[in-house]
Every structure is written in C-alpha cells, then in structure tokens.
Amino acid sequence: TSKALAATVTACTGVACRVPGTLLQRHLSERGRTAKRIVIGHPSGTIPVEAEVVDGSVAIKTAKIFRTARRIAEGRVYLKRPLASGAAPGTPRVRALA
C-alpha cells in the first residue's frame, strides 16, 4: 500500500467497485467491469485490487490488495568480541525471547 491510499481504503474501494449501483461501479471502465483485478490509481502510483461480492449483493466474498516489496537496506555488522563458543564465523546467533 502507500501513504497516499491506505490498505483498508484500498480494499473497501475494490469492494465498492463490485457492488452493483454504487458510484464507483458505475464509473468502472468496461475492462474494469470484466477483469478479475482492478487497478486503482492514486497520487503515488497504482494498487491492484481483487474483490468479489456474492451474486451482486453487498455480501463480500473476497477483498484482496497486492503490494510489492523492495529491499530498502543492506548491511554488515562487525562485532568486537567473538561469537558464542563453538559457533563458526558467519553463523547467525539465535536467542529466544521470554
């Protein structure tokens, strides 16, 4: 999702596009009416949405949003002291939190 269009708003908008008679449904393109996935445009780009209602009613069967993930950071950590005894260098240390 984005800062311009929250996930809950996106899902609700997708559902409203599938409910017959709603303002959003009336303004969908022909392709949007027949396609499984709707692409909603917003100031930061677009968000693909899938929504399905039961027999044209207001009962929601599914509401899905899709988002992409991108790497935002990469790095290395250098420790001054050795790892736990017996652990080979490069072996991740795992500790259970209580």
Side-chain angles (χ1 to χ4, degrees), residues 48-86:
V49 179
E50 285 181 13
E52 192 176 354
V53 294
V54 179
D55 298 324
S57 71
V58 208
I60 303 163
K61 186 174 179 183
T62 61
K64 301 175 187 177
I65 63 169
F66 299 86
R67 51 185 280 176
T68 58
R70 62 183 173 87
R71 185 184 309 193
I72 59 171
E74 183 176 350
R76 294 175 188 241
V77 176
Y78 297 95
L79 303 174
K80 287 185 176 183
R81 55 188 183 159
L83 295 174
S85 62

